[in-house]
Short mmCIF file of all heavy atoms in Angstrom, two decimals:
data_model
loop_
_atom_site.label_atom_id
_atom_site.label_comp_id
_atom_site.label_asym_id
_atom_site.label_seq_id
_atom_site.Cartn_x
_atom_site.Cartn_y
_atom_site.Cartn_z
N GLU A 264 -0.96 45.65 -17.05
CA GLU A 264 -0.50 46.82 -16.31
C GLU A 264 0.53 47.63 -17.10
O GLU A 264 0.85 48.75 -16.76
CB GLU A 264 0.11 46.39 -14.99
CG GLU A 264 -0.88 45.72 -14.05
CD GLU A 264 -0.22 45.19 -12.79
OE1 GLU A 264 1.02 45.31 -12.69
OE2 GLU A 264 -0.92 44.66 -11.93
N ILE A 265 1.06 47.05 -18.17
CA ILE A 265 2.10 47.72 -18.95
C ILE A 265 1.46 48.83 -19.79
O ILE A 265 0.46 48.61 -20.47
CB ILE A 265 2.82 46.72 -19.86
CG1 ILE A 265 3.53 45.67 -18.98
CG2 ILE A 265 3.81 47.41 -20.77
CD1 ILE A 265 4.13 44.55 -19.78
N GLN A 266 2.01 49.99 -19.75
CA GLN A 266 1.46 51.13 -20.47
C GLN A 266 1.94 51.11 -21.91
O GLN A 266 3.13 51.04 -22.18
CB GLN A 266 1.91 52.44 -19.80
CG GLN A 266 1.40 52.58 -18.37
CD GLN A 266 -0.12 52.60 -18.33
OE1 GLN A 266 -0.77 53.28 -19.12
NE2 GLN A 266 -0.70 51.84 -17.40
N ALA A 267 1.01 51.19 -22.85
CA ALA A 267 1.37 51.24 -24.26
C ALA A 267 1.92 52.63 -24.60
O ALA A 267 1.56 53.61 -23.97
CB ALA A 267 0.13 50.95 -25.13
N PRO A 268 2.79 52.71 -25.62
CA PRO A 268 3.32 54.01 -26.03
C PRO A 268 2.19 54.95 -26.45
O PRO A 268 1.17 54.52 -26.98
CB PRO A 268 4.22 53.66 -27.23
CG PRO A 268 4.50 52.20 -27.09
CD PRO A 268 3.31 51.60 -26.42
N GLU A 269 2.36 56.22 -26.18
CA GLU A 269 1.35 57.22 -26.55
C GLU A 269 1.22 57.28 -28.06
O GLU A 269 2.20 57.32 -28.81
CB GLU A 269 1.76 58.59 -26.02
CG GLU A 269 0.73 59.66 -26.28
CD GLU A 269 1.16 60.99 -25.69
OE1 GLU A 269 2.15 61.02 -24.95
OE2 GLU A 269 0.49 62.00 -25.98
N GLN A 270 -0.02 57.26 -28.56
CA GLN A 270 -0.27 57.27 -29.99
C GLN A 270 -0.20 58.70 -30.54
O GLN A 270 -0.73 59.63 -29.94
CB GLN A 270 -1.66 56.68 -30.28
CG GLN A 270 -1.81 55.25 -29.84
CD GLN A 270 -0.98 54.31 -30.68
OE1 GLN A 270 -0.84 54.50 -31.88
NE2 GLN A 270 -0.40 53.31 -30.04
N PRO A 271 0.42 58.88 -31.72
CA PRO A 271 0.44 60.20 -32.34
C PRO A 271 -0.92 60.55 -32.91
O PRO A 271 -1.81 59.70 -33.00
CB PRO A 271 1.47 60.01 -33.48
CG PRO A 271 1.41 58.55 -33.81
CD PRO A 271 1.14 57.86 -32.50
N PRO A 272 -1.13 61.82 -33.26
CA PRO A 272 -2.43 62.24 -33.80
C PRO A 272 -2.79 61.44 -35.05
O PRO A 272 -1.91 61.04 -35.83
CB PRO A 272 -2.20 63.72 -34.15
CG PRO A 272 -1.05 64.13 -33.30
CD PRO A 272 -0.18 62.93 -33.17
N ILE A 273 -4.07 61.17 -35.24
CA ILE A 273 -4.52 60.43 -36.42
C ILE A 273 -4.35 61.30 -37.66
O ILE A 273 -4.81 62.44 -37.70
CB ILE A 273 -5.99 60.01 -36.26
CG1 ILE A 273 -6.11 59.05 -35.07
CG2 ILE A 273 -6.52 59.36 -37.53
CD1 ILE A 273 -7.53 58.63 -34.77
N PRO A 274 -3.69 60.78 -38.70
CA PRO A 274 -3.44 61.59 -39.89
C PRO A 274 -4.68 61.69 -40.78
O PRO A 274 -5.67 60.99 -40.58
CB PRO A 274 -2.35 60.79 -40.61
CG PRO A 274 -2.65 59.37 -40.24
CD PRO A 274 -3.13 59.43 -38.82
N HIS A 275 -4.61 62.60 -41.77
CA HIS A 275 -5.67 62.71 -42.76
C HIS A 275 -5.64 61.48 -43.66
O HIS A 275 -4.58 61.02 -44.06
CB HIS A 275 -5.48 63.98 -43.59
CG HIS A 275 -6.42 64.07 -44.75
ND1 HIS A 275 -7.77 64.25 -44.60
CD2 HIS A 275 -6.19 63.97 -46.09
CE1 HIS A 275 -8.34 64.28 -45.79
NE2 HIS A 275 -7.41 64.10 -46.71
N ILE A 276 -6.83 60.94 -43.98
CA ILE A 276 -6.92 59.73 -44.79
C ILE A 276 -7.86 59.97 -45.96
O ILE A 276 -8.98 60.44 -45.78
CB ILE A 276 -7.44 58.53 -43.97
CG1 ILE A 276 -6.60 58.32 -42.72
CG2 ILE A 276 -7.45 57.26 -44.82
CD1 ILE A 276 -7.18 57.29 -41.78
N ASP A 277 -7.40 59.65 -47.18
CA ASP A 277 -8.27 59.60 -48.35
C ASP A 277 -8.56 58.14 -48.65
O ASP A 277 -7.66 57.30 -48.63
CB ASP A 277 -7.59 60.24 -49.57
CG ASP A 277 -7.53 61.75 -49.45
OD1 ASP A 277 -8.58 62.35 -49.15
OD2 ASP A 277 -6.45 62.33 -49.66
N THR A 278 -9.81 57.82 -48.90
CA THR A 278 -10.21 56.44 -49.14
C THR A 278 -10.74 56.29 -50.57
O THR A 278 -11.64 57.02 -50.99
CB THR A 278 -11.31 55.99 -48.16
OG1 THR A 278 -10.83 56.14 -46.83
CG2 THR A 278 -11.69 54.54 -48.40
N LEU A 279 -10.16 55.35 -51.31
CA LEU A 279 -10.63 55.02 -52.65
C LEU A 279 -11.26 53.64 -52.61
O LEU A 279 -10.66 52.68 -52.12
CB LEU A 279 -9.46 55.01 -53.65
CG LEU A 279 -8.58 56.26 -53.71
CD1 LEU A 279 -7.45 56.06 -54.71
CD2 LEU A 279 -9.42 57.46 -54.11
N ARG A 280 -12.47 53.52 -53.08
CA ARG A 280 -13.13 52.23 -53.16
C ARG A 280 -13.32 51.86 -54.62
O ARG A 280 -13.89 52.64 -55.39
CB ARG A 280 -14.48 52.25 -52.45
CG ARG A 280 -15.21 50.93 -52.50
CD ARG A 280 -16.53 50.99 -51.71
NE ARG A 280 -17.33 49.80 -51.94
CZ ARG A 280 -18.18 49.65 -52.95
NH1 ARG A 280 -18.32 50.64 -53.83
NH2 ARG A 280 -18.87 48.54 -53.09
N ILE A 281 -12.82 50.72 -55.01
CA ILE A 281 -12.90 50.28 -56.41
C ILE A 281 -13.83 49.07 -56.48
O ILE A 281 -13.40 47.94 -56.27
CB ILE A 281 -11.51 49.91 -56.97
CG1 ILE A 281 -10.50 51.02 -56.66
CG2 ILE A 281 -11.59 49.67 -58.46
CD1 ILE A 281 -9.10 50.66 -57.04
N PRO A 282 -15.13 49.28 -56.73
CA PRO A 282 -16.05 48.14 -56.78
C PRO A 282 -15.91 47.37 -58.09
O PRO A 282 -15.57 47.94 -59.13
CB PRO A 282 -17.43 48.81 -56.68
CG PRO A 282 -17.22 50.17 -57.28
CD PRO A 282 -15.80 50.55 -56.95
N ASP A 283 -16.17 46.06 -58.02
CA ASP A 283 -16.16 45.21 -59.20
C ASP A 283 -14.92 45.46 -60.06
O ASP A 283 -14.99 45.60 -61.27
CB ASP A 283 -17.43 45.44 -60.03
CG ASP A 283 -17.68 44.29 -61.00
OD1 ASP A 283 -17.06 43.23 -60.81
OD2 ASP A 283 -18.47 44.46 -61.93
N ILE A 284 -13.78 45.54 -59.42
CA ILE A 284 -12.54 45.80 -60.14
C ILE A 284 -12.31 44.70 -61.17
O ILE A 284 -12.67 43.54 -60.96
CB ILE A 284 -11.35 45.90 -59.15
CG1 ILE A 284 -10.13 46.50 -59.85
CG2 ILE A 284 -11.04 44.56 -58.52
CD1 ILE A 284 -9.05 46.91 -58.86
N ASP A 285 -11.75 45.07 -62.31
CA ASP A 285 -11.68 44.15 -63.44
C ASP A 285 -10.56 43.13 -63.31
O ASP A 285 -9.47 43.26 -63.88
CB ASP A 285 -11.49 44.95 -64.74
CG ASP A 285 -12.75 45.72 -65.10
OD1 ASP A 285 -13.83 45.23 -64.79
OD2 ASP A 285 -12.63 46.80 -65.69
N PHE A 286 -10.82 42.10 -62.53
CA PHE A 286 -9.94 40.96 -62.48
C PHE A 286 -10.54 39.87 -63.37
O PHE A 286 -11.77 39.74 -63.46
CB PHE A 286 -9.82 40.40 -61.05
CG PHE A 286 -9.07 41.29 -60.12
CD1 PHE A 286 -9.73 42.04 -59.16
CD2 PHE A 286 -7.69 41.39 -60.20
CE1 PHE A 286 -9.04 42.85 -58.29
CE2 PHE A 286 -6.99 42.21 -59.33
CZ PHE A 286 -7.66 42.94 -58.38
#
Side-chain angles (χ1 to χ4, degrees):
E264 296 175 358
I265 297 173
Q266 298 298 314
E269 184 178 351
Q270 299 291 323
I273 296 177
H275 172 68
I276 306 171
D277 287 311
T278 302
L279 306 178
R280 180 177 171 274
I281 311 174
D283 198 15
I284 194 167
D285 290 328
F286 290 105

